[in-house]
Amino acid sequence: MKTAASLSAGLLLSAALAFAAPAAVGAAPARVTPMTPDVVTAYDELRPSADFIKRVEMVPMRDGVKLYTVIFMRKGVKNAPILLSRTPYDAKKSTERVASQKLTEVLPAMDAPFVDDGYIRVYQDIRGLHHSEGEWIMNRPLTGPLNDSGIDESTDAYDTIDWLVKNVAESNGKVGIIGSSYLGFTALMAEIDPHPALKAAAPQSPMVDGWRGDDWFHNGAFRVSSFDYALEMSQDKGSGSEIPHGAGDDYTLYLKAGSAGDFARQWGLDAIPFVQKLMQNPAYTPFWSLQAVDALMAQRPLTVPTMLIVGQWDQEDSYGAPAVYRALANSQQRRAPVSLVIGPWRHSGVNHYGYELGALTFRGDTAAEFRTRYLKPFFDHYLKDGADPRTPAALSYATGADRWNESPRWPMGTPTPLYLSAGFGLSFDKPAQAGHDDYVSDPAKPVPFLPRPIHMGDPFQWKPWLVHDQRFVSDRPDVLVYESAPLDAPLHIMGAPGVELYAATSGRDSDWVVKLIDIYPDDSPEPAKEGSKPSLAGFELPVGIEIFRGRYVHGFDAPRALTPGKVETYRFELPNVDHVFLPGHRIGVQVQSSLFPLYDRNPQTWVDNLFEARPADYRAATQSVHRGAAQASRLLLPVVR
């Protein structure tokens, strides 16, 4: 029989259970009532059946800031190399591809060959982003004229590697670093004054020079999608929201806004420090040139074996990897090998599937083939004392011929002039007679870079845009179209096609866009019902596209107004390629003065800072492209003899 005291105690216990704290990880409640809170403090996804070990560490830097670092390895791994990636894109989420107990499903797909062979895989949030402490600065400059803090991505990489080799007991003391885009930038920075344990690096599509040809500008023309990236990265430690402009055609959205600066002010983006950095520094002043990673690396001896990787149709960072290779390949200070890889991929495509890009189909999974045949043996050699893979100085995939080429240097081709000629032709013989072709460029009707409606945030538009069929603009009156006769033999190019454009404008500023195109013959494939891909009959494949802002013709650091009617010589390069124009194909060249809304519109009048252009500043101009005689516009194709 219960006493009054025991009944009272029971009621108190029931009350306590009803309002107990949430259960701890893995701890089942001893007793529940209808009023027990239905929450737990956490859930441990890593079950005893998992085939891997996961550790999360806050790794201290020399200034006391701690960086979130997640470490993965298969159970039982010993004496293993470490493969490190330092990311602004959330190390935690990057390593949660699938909720699984299998390591190869948890990590990104490209990691599978490494962790299956005993590598320790490490991802780290860079300072100030996601789960790391500290203050974030976009592409934090190296300690020096632009940074007097003594802290940069080089020192953070050094401190991270130092901690890893001292605290991960399963490691063999050797570290490699890899990553694409921003992670390519942090990989390169790790090679500047590197930790002795850093034995190999594979920067992929690295951000190297944001003004010359990577993310923010191309030869001075501003890439408006930079605003979206700046907003996302500047909020909530890198997990910010998008510009809240709703749906609709981006072409119309940006056109109605006015200048790129007007768009930024309309959406409150001008309050973001990095947006102000862009808007206050439109020219290639020391603000940008002192951050150029290729120049920084050229000033030091390379001591870490390096494999630089880029996609031939990289829509974001086509400039960086070839620029670093150019800076290091012939350096007298170089103490370690450097190689350049150009694959048939879009941005970061090397880490995913390489069967196709847009309408193009390749011979199997080119990305997986590269990772297996070349990338992993490279790391195995330097991190596991594996056999010397004899990595070539240059490795490129010949699109058109569908094969990998191993080369002793890059570029392999010899610059060979291809001239614009009368009747909108192309010829390897220089035209003797001078002439010019004209068109009117109207900023009120800029040439789109994709068929409308354009949604730059749509990955199915954005990722393959550089291989989109160019027939969609070939009949516009503001696009000059030149074509060769059908080729009677293959024409192989390996390098960066050069542009020498003799041109004049009736305005005081102008953009010049040049496209090199492979024009397919009008062949008829079997019908789709037989399993064929969509027909490429007449397809106009862009081999390379680039833009040049006219005000910089006399120096990227010294913008000047153009003289109306004066012929200037515009020299620039298209992205590096390995491509074979097959017999029966034609070579095409298109010239235009806008590529919208990927790049902001040029007013074609003189405005000191185009971010401050007013509606009245945007005026139509007559553009003249000269050909033949002393002003023979041409492309310099890097032809392999």
Side-chain angles (χ1 to χ4, degrees):
M1 183 175 184
K2 296 185 182 293
T3 65
S6 65
L7 287 171
S8 177
L11 290 171
L12 288 172
L13 178 59
S14 296
L17 286 171
F19 297 99
V25 177
R31 181 182 174 191
V32 294
T33 75
M35 287 302 293
T36 301
D38 290 306
V39 294
V40 293
T41 55
Y43 171 71
D44 186 359
E45 292 188 356
L46 193 61
R47 311 315 299 164
S49 61
D51 65 2
F52 63 95
I53 296 168
K54 174 183 176 181
R55 298 178 190 146
V56 176
E57 304 283 355
M58 295 299 292
V59 175
M61 301 294 102
R62 63 191 62 185
D63 61 346
V65 167
K66 295 180 180 179
L67 305 187
Y68 178 91
T69 307
V70 57
I71 303 165
F72 291 86
M73 68 190 80
R74 284 206 178 277
K75 289 178 176 177
V77 159
K78 295 180 181 178
N79 195 35
I82 294 172
L83 190 59
L84 169 67
S85 293
R86 305 192 61 250
T87 179
Y89 302 128
D90 196 339
K92 183 177 184 294
K93 287 186 178 179
S94 297
T95 55
E96 295 176 346
R97 183 170 67 90
V98 175
S100 174
Q101 303 305 298
K102 295 181 179 180
L103 183 54
T104 54
E105 294 183 353
V106 170
L107 294 179
M110 66 82 54
D111 287 333
F114 293 97
V115 295
D116 279 344
D117 194 29
Y119 277 70
I120 299 168
R121 195 66 173 97
V122 179
Y123 285 80
Q124 180 183 72
D125 287 333
I126 62 174
R127 71 168 54 216
L129 292 180
H130 301 287
H131 306 283
S132 283
E133 300 174 353
E135 194 171 61
W136 177 65
I137 296 172
M138 182 83 76
N139 298 119
R140 180 182 287 264
L142 190 71
T143 297
L146 303 179
N147 176 1
D148 62 1
S149 71
I151 300 298
D152 52 39
E153 298 298 352
S154 177
T155 63
D156 281 354
Y158 188 104
D159 295 347
T160 297
I161 293 170
D162 192 64
W163 188 94
L164 289 171
V165 297
K166 292 176 179 176
N167 292 276
V168 180
E170 297 87 349
S171 91
N172 65 2
K174 295 181 180 180
V175 179
I177 193 164
I178 192 171
S180 180
S181 196
Y182 205 120
L183 288 75
F185 163 73
T186 59
L188 286 175
M189 294 295 277
E191 298 188 67
I192 296 176
D193 303 322
H195 191 282
L198 183 61
K199 302 298 184 182
Q204 304 163 327
S205 301
M207 301 167 75
V208 167
D209 192 324
W211 196 95
R212 288 293 303 274
D214 284 326
D215 290 88
W216 322 127
F217 298 84
H218 274 220
N219 296 317
F222 176 63
R223 294 166 69 96
V224 299
S225 56
S226 305
F227 287 147
D228 298 84
Y229 185 75
L231 180 61
E232 178 184 357
M233 297 300 292
S234 64
Q235 306 170 74
D236 195 20
K237 299 190 72 173
S239 300
S241 59
E242 300 176 353
I243 300 172
H245 53 62
D249 186 352
D250 286 346
Y251 184 100
T252 303
L253 176 74
Y254 283 97
L255 190 61
K256 286 183 176 179
S259 70
D262 287 336
F263 180 86
R265 287 181 283 271
Q266 176 184 349
W267 295 101
L269 309 178
D270 55 330
I272 298 171
F274 184 68
V275 170
Q276 284 298 328
K277 292 178 183 180
L278 295 169
M279 294 171 63
Q280 293 177 26
N281 297 278
Y284 197 58
T285 61
F287 182 93
W288 298 115
S289 61
L290 292 180
Q291 296 186 53
V293 181
D294 55 329
L296 294 172
M297 296 194 72
Q299 296 165 9
R300 296 163 171 80
L302 179 71
T303 60
V304 179
T306 301
M307 177 182 282
L308 296 154
I309 303 165
V310 69
Q312 181 161 301
W313 287 288
D314 189 310
Q315 78 279 11
E316 295 179 24
D317 294 299
S318 62
Y319 178 87
V324 173
Y325 178 81
R326 185 166 54 243
L328 296 178
N330 298 315
S331 171
Q332 298 299 313
Q333 299 186 84
R334 183 163 59 85
R335 302 291 181 265
V338 60
S339 58
L340 177 65
V341 176
I342 302 175
W345 311 309
R346 45 90 175 175
H347 184 68
S348 299
V350 62
N351 293 320
H352 302 284
Y353 298 99
Y355 295 103
E356 59 189 21
L357 181 63
L360 302 184
T361 302
F362 307 118
R363 186 198 63 195
D365 187 344
T366 57
E369 181 185 10
F370 162 73
R371 296 194 301 264
T372 302
R373 286 180 55 189
Y374 297 101
L375 181 62
K376 186 171 179 295
F378 167 78
F379 279 114
D380 286 350
H381 177 57
Y382 293 107
L383 303 185
K384 299 181 69 174
D385 298 322
D388 186 350
R390 302 189 182 278
T391 304
L395 174 68
S396 55
Y397 191 88
T399 53
D402 266 349
R403 65 172 185 263
W404 286 103
N405 286 319
E406 297 184 1
S407 307
R409 64 186 181 278
W410 190 267
M412 283 294 292
T414 301
T416 303
L418 177 67
Y419 295 94
L420 309 188
S421 59
F424 297 100
L426 293 171
S427 172
F428 287 104
D429 297 321
K430 182 178 179 180
Q433 187 171 355
H436 60 84
D437 300 310
D438 301 343
Y439 62 95
V440 174
S441 171
D442 186 353
K445 299 178 181 179
V447 182
F449 80 101
L450 278 173
R452 297 175 61 186
I454 296 173
H455 304 288
M456 288 187 286
D458 179 355
F460 295 100
Q461 287 194 16
W462 176 241
K463 291 181 179 181
W465 87 262
L466 278 169
V467 297
H468 193 89
D469 190 342
Q470 293 302 298
R471 285 178 289 186
F472 80 102
V473 295
S474 61
D475 59 351
R476 283 184 59 120
D478 51 358
V479 177
L480 299 180
V481 178
Y482 300 86
E483 294 184 6
S484 75
L487 298 174
D488 55 12
L491 181 71
H492 190 185
I493 61 174
M494 296 178 73
V499 174
E500 283 189 9
L501 193 69
Y502 293 86
T505 177
S506 64
R508 301 189 69 207
D509 197 3
S510 177
D511 287 348
W512 302 99
V513 177
V514 174
K515 306 172 185 176
L516 174 63
I517 298 170
D518 184 343
I519 303 174
Y520 285 52
D522 287 319
D523 294 337
S524 299
E526 285 192 323
K529 68 180 180 180
E530 303 298 342
S532 69
K533 293 282 287 184
S535 172
L536 294 181
F539 192 86
E540 295 188 0
L541 171 68
V543 177
I545 300 175
E546 195 52 278
I547 190 170
F548 188 98
R549 183 142 285 175
R551 62 176 50 210
Y552 299 110
V553 67
H554 298 296
F556 288 139
D557 61 342
R560 286 165 44 184
L562 302 176
T563 301
K566 180 182 178 182
V567 177
E568 300 280 7
T569 307
Y570 299 93
R571 294 186 174 92
F572 55 100
E573 290 185 342
L574 305 183
N576 284 265
V577 298
D578 183 347
H579 183 73
V580 178
F581 295 86
L582 297 175
H585 290 226
R586 297 172 183 262
I587 303 173
V589 172
Q590 292 183 1
V591 181
Q592 58 200 58
S593 290
S594 50
L595 202 59
F596 189 75
L598 176 60
Y599 295 99
D600 65 330
R601 294 176 301 149
N602 193 314
Q604 303 181 159
T605 62
W606 178 255
V607 179
D608 287 340
N609 185 333
L610 267 62
F611 289 102
E612 304 301 326
R614 300 163 300 176
D617 295 324
Y618 291 86
R619 301 177 192 171
T622 299
Q623 316 288 69
S624 298
V625 174
H626 289 250
R627 47 178 168 73
Q631 297 175 335
S633 293
R634 60 184 184 169
L635 269 68
L636 297 171
L637 302 184
V639 176
V640 178
R641 303 298 184 183

